[in-house]
Structure formats: C-alpha cells, structure tokens
C-alpha cells in the first residue's frame, strides 16, 4: 500500500479563495482524521470519520471549514473563503478500528493564504 | 480538562547524551499511549505504542518508553542520541472505547554533532 496520500503538497492561495485539500486513506482503514498543525497551537484534531460518516467535527474552527468523505477511499477538507490565519500544515491520517497500529499519517498539505 | 502535557518545549543535546522526554496525561480510565516522531519537513511516524502488558515498551531506532500508571506518565527515553534523532516528538493518548487520539504540544529535539 502506498500509505495515506494527500494532495496537493503545497498550496498558496489568496485570501477569499476556496481551497480544497484531498486525502486518500489506506485501503481497509475504518477511520479517517483531519489534523491541522501550527507553531502556535500544535496538532489540532479538526474532524474524524468512521466508515465514511463524520463522527466528531467539534474541532472544525468555524463554518468556513467543511469536510466530506463520499466513499471509503477519498476525503476532502474545504475552506471557503480562506483567510491568512488558516495558513498551516493540514494532515490526514487513517487507522483501523482499535488503533492497534496507531494512526498512519499522510505527508501533509502546507497551505499558505496570502 | 483532559489533556496531554509534554513538559519540554525544546531540548538540545550533544551526540551520545541520554534522552528523556516527559509526557503526562489527565485522562481517566484505560488508555492507549503512543509516541510519534516528525523529522523536519516530514509527516508523523509511529515510534512506539503501549496498549497493555509490560509497561516498558521498546520501539524503533533504540527508543523506549515507560508507562507509570500511578503517575499518568509515559516518558520517552534513549540511552545515546544521534544527530539523526533531531526531530519533533509527540506523545499521544487514546482512551479505550473512544475513537480519537489527542496529541501533546510536541518537544523539539536538537542533537548537536
């Protein structure tokens, strides 16, 4: 398996634009997580899915953020409209139920909003 | 509030020095514990994990961690660090029967050659 695949690796966008981050989890994993990493706040859990269903989105900062998982092999995190304070590295991770091997993280998307 | 605390923000060591990074958590009940490493510019990778059994857990690259239940701690250790261990280290806790994992703020380790 190629691991958790995220795209794009880097995204630079202007304030106000829509940004879509993509994630392909490891095949067979039941859980998918979106995290945001910044110097100030560290790793923050934004939302997670179990079997494609959103379970907890309490970490999503505001209504500008939305996430979907239309099928077991694809998830998106969308920011509309984007703001400079959204600049961060966004990680996707997936896991089997029971977390016997912890999470497997993707390489992340570095988002810069100017 | 439930939290994961890593005491050291930045640790600087010389090669061959011994390492201990602290991690405490405040979750009640049974927990699973993890240490992840993030090398510069890379994603998080699992170093080691504790689910049950022997509280001294050995991981990859010579790292180990000890779970002390009475202290709610899971400290990471390595007897002799190398320059290549320069990275950020994250402690993480998952409550059994809960579905997410919470991370500490991370400790940046710099090893001087």
């Amino acid at each position: 398996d190629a691991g958790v695949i995220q795209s794009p690796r880097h995204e630079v966008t202007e304030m106000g634009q829509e940004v879509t981050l993509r994630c392909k989890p490891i095949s067979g994993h039941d859980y998918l997580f979106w995290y945001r990493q910044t110097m100030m706040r560290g790793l923050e859990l934004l939302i997670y899915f179990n079997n494609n269903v959103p379970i907890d989105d309490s970490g999503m900062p505001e209504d500008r953020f939305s996430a979907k998982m239309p099928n077991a092999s694809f998830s998106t995190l969308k920011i509309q409209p984007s703001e400079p304070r959204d600049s961060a590295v966004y990680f996707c991770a997936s896991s089997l139920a029971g977390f016997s091997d912890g999470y497997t993280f993707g390489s992340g998307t570095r988002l810069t909003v100017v | 509030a439930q939290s994961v605390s890593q005491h050291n923000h930045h640790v600087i060591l010389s090669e061959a020095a011994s390492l201990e990074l602290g991690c405490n958590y405040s979750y009640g009940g049974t927990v699973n514990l993890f240490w992840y490493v993030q090398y510069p510019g890379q994603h998080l990778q699992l170093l080691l994990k504790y689910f049950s059994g022997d509280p001294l857990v050995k991981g990859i690259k010579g790292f180990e961690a000890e779970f002390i239940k009475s202290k709610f701690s899971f400290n990471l250790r390595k007897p002799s660090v190398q320059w290549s261990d320069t990275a950020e280290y994250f402690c993480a806790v998952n409550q059994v029967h809960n579905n997410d994992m919470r991370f500490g703020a991370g400790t940046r380790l710099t090893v001087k050659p």
Side-chain angles (χ1 to χ4, degrees), chain A residues 9 31 33 35 37 43 45 48 56 91 98-103 105-107, chain B residues 32 34 36 38 41-44 46 49 51 90 94 98-103:
Chain A
R9 288 296 304 273
Y31 287 85
F33 304 83
Y35 282 86
Q37 186 179 36
L43 266 171
L45 175 65
Y48 76 91
D56 184 354
F91 286 104
F99 310 108
S100 57
D101 292 319
Y103 292 3
F105 282 82
S107 298
Chain B
N32 300 319
F34 305 83
Y36 283 82
Q38 185 179 28
Q42 297 189 26
H43 61 282
L44 279 78
L46 183 65
K49 61 187 179 185
F51 275 50
F90 293 89
N94 158 241
N98 199 349
N99 296 320
D100 63 17
M101 190 182 301
R102 301 290 169 164
F103 287 81

Side-chain angles (χ1 to χ4, degrees), chain A residues 68-114:
Chain A
K68 294 181 180 179
M69 192 165 184
N71 57 62
S73 59
F74 185 64
S75 177
T76 59
L77 178 67
K78 186 177 293 186
I79 308 172
Q80 164 64 11
S82 58
E83 297 182 3
R85 60 193 168 119
D86 301 331
S87 297
V89 180
Y90 290 81
F91 286 104
C92 176
S94 71
S95 176
L96 290 165
F99 310 108
S100 57
D101 292 319
Y103 292 3
T104 301
F105 282 82
S107 298
T109 295
R110 181 174 295 278
L111 173 65
T112 303
V113 183
V114 299

Side-chain angles (χ1 to χ4, degrees), chain B residues 2-59:
Chain B
Q2 296 175 328
S3 65
V4 182
S5 300
Q6 291 185 242
H7 315 298
N8 311 103
H9 180 64
H10 188 192
V11 172
I12 301 173
L13 296 172
S14 297
E15 274 194 315
S18 63
L19 169 72
E20 181 160 2
L21 302 182
C23 174
N24 286 88
Y25 62 94
S26 62
Y27 295 89
T30 305
V31 294
N32 300 319
L33 300 158
F34 305 83
W35 275 96
Y36 283 82
V37 60
Q38 185 179 28
Y39 298 103
Q42 297 189 26
H43 61 282
L44 279 78
Q45 302 170 46
L46 183 65
L47 258 185
L48 49 78
K49 61 187 179 185
Y50 172 80
F51 275 50
S52 63
D54 188 344
L56 185 62
V57 179
K58 296 193 184 299

